[in-house]
Amino acid sequence: MRGPLVGLFVVPVVVGVYLIGEAATADDTPQCDGIIVEYGDSERSGPMKPGQNCNLYDFTDSRSAGTRTYDQQKKAQDEEATSDYWTGGWWLAYGVVGLAVVTTRRDPKRRRS
């Protein structure tokens, strides 16, 4: 009976480690997932340079969702990384506590009278 329970708590551990790893390895350079208009009509997405604006673009309905400056995008990404640290930490803690409880609990079937 412990096998399925262990499996149920391993998943949150993996998710927590993944989220913490994503936040820890995030690049400090703001990334624009929308469109950066460069010289003339040239458009691109990717890393931003100071002074550039990112046109946030909702690709599902083909509409602009606003713009962000370099500093605003950097702040948004920093907040997202902080959120990922907290969320990953909670998932990891939940999984570790669950694994500890499941693996240290005595099996009532093996109890001797």
Side-chain angles (χ1 to χ4, degrees), residues 26-32 46-50 70 73-74 77-78:
D27 191 10
D28 281 343
T29 304
Q31 298 287 323
C32 179
M48 295 176 67
K49 298 173 190 165
Y70 177 90
Q73 184 67 11
K74 183 168 180 58
Q77 285 180 200
D78 289 344

Side-chain angles (χ1 to χ4, degrees), residues 10-61:
V10 166
V11 172
V13 169
V14 171
V15 169
V17 168
Y18 174 78
L19 287 172
I20 291 171
E22 282 285 310
T25 59
D27 191 10
D28 281 343
T29 304
Q31 298 287 323
C32 179
D33 294 332
I35 298 170
I36 301 171
V37 177
E38 292 198 300
Y39 311 104
D41 292 335
S42 177
E43 296 178 349
R44 69 172 179 85
S45 59
M48 295 176 67
K49 298 173 190 165
Q52 289 182 326
N53 288 327
C54 176
N55 292 325
L56 304 173
Y57 190 72
D58 187 357
F59 292 99
T60 58
D61 66 1

